Amino acid sequence: MKLLLTSGGINNKSIHDALVDMLGKPIAESNALCIPTAMYGHPWVGPGVQAWKFISGKEENPMINLGWKSVGVLELTALPSIDQDRWVPLVRETDVLLVSGGDALYLCHWMRQSGLADLLPSLHAVYVGMSAGSMVMAPKIGDFFVGWTPPNGGDETLGLVDFAMFPHLDHEMLPYNTMVNAEKWAAGMQGAAYAMDDQTAIKVIDGEVEVVSGGHWKLFSH
């Protein structure tokens, strides 16, 4: 599986070009599934208007409104209650998964509960995450980002990559997302940790990691 882990969506040419390159064909010929689940667990977002904006392509951070051939919705909280043959073939056939921001631990919980987490490594799709949708791929997110508390506690996530991410660096709406706080966060993480602004994404193909950025970012490594 190819991963494009963004902080703020597909919002500049370099990230857009990386996505098209990973797809291997134009966006207009690619079928997408969007996953809004992370939103429901986040105290500032929740269900309602923001989830609708994301699904309908009226989102502020471009992911859905890029001109896909088709866009469907994959709601992870619904999947445990339906047979796998109703949704697994759909996921296997799609070109790209578009995973919204929100709460990374809530998203991780439902990725595991639904069975999607087990399926991800075998998919040929491009996985595009935004914020929490990217952070969920890390081994851990760090206490700084813990909001929703999973049943077993902790801050562990899927561990499908070996680095952690601090998104929305120096975002005007998030005064605590400073480089100073990112450095403190990174000190508590094991292994590599990236602080990245909304003009930055991390591309992962076959374990090879490449930063794609029109903004600023920093790698903290121990």
Side-chain angles (χ1 to χ4, degrees), residues 51-129:
W52 176 80
K53 281 185 176 179
F54 175 70
I55 292 168
S56 64
K58 300 183 187 303
E59 79 276 35
E60 295 167 8
N61 300 77
M63 285 180 82
I64 309 302
N65 58 5
L66 299 176
W68 301 103
K69 182 179 179 182
S70 71
V71 180
V73 179
L74 189 70
E75 178 41 64
L76 303 187
T77 60
L79 299 186
S81 60
I82 60 177
D83 290 339
Q84 286 207 342
D85 60 11
R86 295 290 306 278
W87 66 270
V88 170
L90 178 70
V91 174
R92 289 204 180 280
E93 291 162 12
T94 200
D95 296 307
V96 63
L97 296 176
L98 306 172
V99 187
S100 81
D103 190 284
L105 294 178
Y106 185 81
L107 175 61
C108 183
H109 175 77
W110 284 107
M111 280 187 164
R112 287 177 171 146
Q113 292 290 312
S114 64
L116 181 63
D118 294 330
L119 198 60
L120 285 175
S122 67
L123 296 180
H124 296 292
V126 177
Y127 177 103
V128 182

Side-chain angles (χ1 to χ4, degrees), residues 126-150:
V126 177
Y127 177 103
V128 182
M130 181 175 67
S131 191
S134 298
M135 294 163 68
V136 73
M137 289 289 159
K140 292 186 173 188
I141 60 168
D143 291 341
F144 186 90
F145 293 108
V146 173
W148 183 83
T149 305

Side-chain angles (χ1 to χ4, degrees), residues 12 21 24 34 37 54 66 85 88 94 110 112-113 133 141 158 179-180 185 189 194-195 202 207 215 220:
N12 64 43
D21 184 57
C34 74
T37 307
F54 175 70
L66 299 176
D85 60 11
V88 170
T94 200
W110 284 107
R112 287 177 171 146
Q113 292 290 312
I141 60 168
L158 297 180
M179 187 64 86
V180 170
W185 161 84
M189 307 303 287
Y194 290 87
I202 301 174
F220 301 95

